[in-house]
Amino acid sequence: MVIEPNAGYAGTGNPIAAKGPIGDFASRAQADQTDAALGKYRTIGGWVEKPQDIQRELEGDVSADVIVVGAGFAGLNAAIALANQGARVVVIEREFAGFGASGRNAGYLAGGSGAKFDLFLDRIGREQTQKVVDYFEAGVSHVESMLEEHGIDCDYIASGLIRAGIHPMHEANIRSNIRTAAEFGIKMQFLDWAAMRARGIPPAFLFGSYINRGGTLDPGKYVMGLRRAALEAGVTLYENTELLWWTAGRVVEARTPRGIARAPFMVFATNAYTPRLGLLENKVVPMRVSAIETEPLCAEQLAQLNWPNREGIVTAHRKMESHRLTARNTLVITTKRVRYAFGSRTPNIPDSAAYLALIRAFRERFPTLKDLAIRACWSGYISVAGDALPVVGATGERQNVFYTTGCSGHGVGAQSLAGRLLAERIRGDEPALLAGLRHQTPSTLPEPLRWCAVNGAMSMLGRMDEKVDRAARAAAACAGRQAFP
């Protein structure tokens, strides 16, 4: 299998810091998004930074029991589990551990409450939907156990999650989701206006469903904690090491610019970048998502906001919009605009249109903080299958090349757990949770139909969301609250 030299599996868009008020940043963002000036902004916290002890590049020939490609949630969890059982594990990472979406995501540890119940039921039926929900739920428990076992301090706030409505048009969907979730053992509570205000939830979020499970964390700190745990367990991590070519047989070979690794098993833990490595090209597509982070709120702003439990909030939009208050007292706002690049490419470029959409959402949901500066922005890739279900399995003549992808926004819990389950499978066991994920993933359309279909669907969902947003703006104006054009 030959890989394009520039097809990096662990790359993401770079965070950029924006100084000054939001209005100044928005003016710059409207400029050419490929402007070289983006390079002058320093990469700062909010997601993950390059570690000081960067591990050396793979050189020469090495052998192992298992090769893992990708040092994110799935890859590091797999490596830790295998090493703890005495396996010799080599991890290959193009940049550094966590450089991809594992280190730079929204930071929500969610279980089955985020399942797309209607889609899953239509696709795989009730019995297997229950198994997928159980898998998502187990992902929360697994991450919590990893944090405790390895002493990982990642600012985990186990205050549960809220799926909120910003307009009465969202209420029917939220109530329906609560009823369906209950059928699969997921207990959620409907919060009306009074209950939301009693919790200190910002008033732009009118009502919602609450689940007292999971919460939010700093994904960069989590993945760096996994990196430390992997090194302590004896895992050999090669950073700045790009996979150029691989072959599957009795022994799997992975060739890099300056070396080659051989092992009886290999795990692709490369998520959105898996199609660029010649695997699952017609099963999953990389989708660009974005995030912004504000400067820290001052003590007066925090007191005025009065969000004591810091529950993570996702909205009931078709294309998720999320808001969380971090341990650094910044606000992180994510997603809103989702796009697919022709040919499943993953160019590492900023997405100014997405940043502007997120800035607008921030200003509308938090009008009293409209002058708070934006600290950083990021665009990168998650992977999605046509049925939004996880894609976990094996390939090769000897079924000794394993993969996990298709996180569809469940990366923190589900991909972490997938790594551990694949480690158990390599050791000869097949956990029930892993077996429960078996299904036939639908094939994607060939290009250019794929590009048209995926982005056409995203545009349609965006128009539906914009209809709700316009109604919310009108309602805010009528209520005498600050509205933004």
Side-chain angles (χ1 to χ4, degrees):
M1 189 68 62
V2 179
I3 309 301
E4 294 181 22
N6 294 325
Y9 61 78
T12 69
N14 294 322
I16 61 172
K19 299 178 181 179
I22 289 175
D24 293 343
F25 175 79
S27 296
R28 287 197 300 273
Q30 287 173 323
D32 183 357
Q33 68 178 19
T34 61
D35 194 314
L38 287 174
K40 74 182 181 182
Y41 299 114
R42 72 184 174 92
T43 299
I44 59 177
W47 291 278
V48 67
E49 293 289 354
K50 185 176 181 178
Q52 296 297 314
D53 61 335
I54 196 78
Q55 300 296 291
R56 65 184 177 88
E57 180 183 355
L58 171 61
E59 296 182 0
D61 289 2
V62 300
S63 60
D65 296 316
V66 184
I67 300 166
V68 177
V69 184
F73 295 149
L76 291 174
N77 271 276
I80 292 168
L82 289 163
N84 285 340
Q85 293 295 318
R88 295 173 302 152
V89 185
V90 163
V91 178
I92 298 172
E93 169 58 54
R94 184 177 185 268
E95 299 288 343
F96 55 83
F99 184 81
S102 288
R104 308 171 190 261
N105 60 77
Y108 288 73
L109 179 58
S113 62
K116 296 175 175 61
F117 294 106
D118 292 342
L119 182 60
F120 292 179
L121 285 167
D122 289 343
R123 176 64 186 167
I124 57 175
R126 183 168 298 275
E127 181 178 352
Q128 192 166 11
T129 294
Q130 182 68 67
K131 294 178 181 179
V132 174
V133 170
D134 292 344
Y135 165 71
F136 287 155
E137 283 289 287
V140 175
S141 299
H142 170 71
V143 171
E144 290 177 337
S145 68
M146 291 294 287
L147 300 184
E148 182 177 358
E149 178 181 354
H150 299 286
I152 300 174
D153 180 5
C154 60
D155 302 330
Y156 179 45
I157 304 172
S159 57
L161 300 168
I162 292 175
R163 184 167 180 256
I166 66 162
H167 188 272
M169 284 190 283
H170 277 156
E171 183 172 350
N173 178 270
I174 288 176
R175 288 188 179 275
S176 174
N177 194 67
I178 291 173
R179 290 192 296 270
T180 306
E183 298 175 10
F184 294 93
I186 306 298
K187 296 180 180 179
M188 292 188 285
Q189 174 188 359
F190 183 80
L191 303 177
D192 60 14
W193 170 267
M196 293 282 272
R197 305 295 74 80
R199 284 182 169 272
I201 304 302
F205 305 104
L206 308 181
F207 49 81
S209 60
Y210 172 70
I211 183 167
N212 187 24
R213 180 164 171 75
T216 64
L217 51 74
D218 183 318
K221 289 184 177 181
Y222 170 43
V223 77
M224 282 300 151
L226 293 174
R227 179 183 183 273
R228 170 182 55 80
L231 293 173
E232 291 175 352
V235 172
T236 302
L237 171 62
Y238 294 108
E239 296 176 303
N240 291 327
T241 300
E242 181 180 7
L243 177 64
L244 299 177
W245 176 88
W246 62 277
T247 57
R250 184 179 60 84
V251 174
V252 183
E253 295 187 355
R255 187 173 296 278
T256 70
R258 303 179 67 178
I260 187 169
R262 297 182 177 87
F265 301 98
M266 184 158 72
V267 176
F268 277 103
T270 46
N271 204 20
Y273 307 94
T274 305
R276 304 302 294 160
L277 292 170
L279 190 65
L280 304 175
E281 303 101 314
N282 67 336
K283 297 297 183 181
V284 296
V285 296
M287 302 295 291
R288 180 198 293 274
V289 296
S290 300
I292 62 172
E293 182 180 23
T294 70
E295 290 286 358
L297 281 68
C298 67
E300 182 180 351
Q301 289 169 323
L302 281 171
Q304 183 181 35
L305 186 60
N306 187 29
W307 190 352
N309 297 321
R310 305 190 182 213
E311 300 94 335
I313 297 175
V314 299
T315 65
H317 287 91
R318 301 282 180 164
K319 292 195 293 186
M320 187 190 79
E321 173 188 312
S322 73
H323 304 260
R324 69 180 176 94
L325 182 59
T326 73
R328 296 180 298 280
N329 295 328
T330 63
L331 284 163
V332 171
I333 301 95
T334 64
T335 310
K336 199 65 179 171
R337 186 176 186 269
V338 183
R339 298 295 291 175
Y340 165 73
F342 187 89
S344 291
R345 296 185 180 278
T346 53
N348 295 335
I349 58 175
D351 191 338
S352 297
Y355 304 152
L356 287 172
L358 289 168
I359 290 168
R360 187 179 195 181
F362 161 62
R363 295 174 71 182
E364 291 177 344
R365 311 297 174 247
F366 299 89
T368 62
L369 301 174
K370 61 184 177 64
D371 293 326
L372 188 64
I374 299 300
R375 183 175 191 239
C377 303
W378 169 73
S379 293
Y381 299 89
I382 62 171
S383 65
V384 179
D387 53 11
L389 287 160
V391 183
V392 185
T395 188
E397 181 180 341
R398 294 177 175 266
Q399 295 289 288
N400 57 348
V401 176
F402 296 87
Y403 53 80
T404 174
T405 183
C407 69
S408 300
H410 285 273
V412 177
Q415 286 295 295
S416 294
L417 177 60
R420 193 201 77 193
L421 296 178
L422 287 179
E424 294 179 19
R425 179 67 184 83
I426 289 171
R427 292 198 302 266
D429 300 324
E430 183 166 27
L433 287 171
L434 187 62
L437 299 180
R438 287 181 184 165
H439 72 285
Q440 186 63 43
T441 301
S443 296
T444 60
L445 295 168
E447 297 289 18
L449 297 178
R450 181 191 306 168
W451 184 91
C452 294
V454 174
N455 285 326
M458 291 298 104
S459 295
M460 179 185 68
L461 295 178
R463 288 192 296 271
M464 296 169 70
D465 287 342
E466 180 56 28
K467 178 181 178 181
V468 177
D469 287 342
R470 286 196 303 269
R473 290 180 202 121
C478 290
R481 291 178 290 175
Q482 177 68 54
F484 295 89

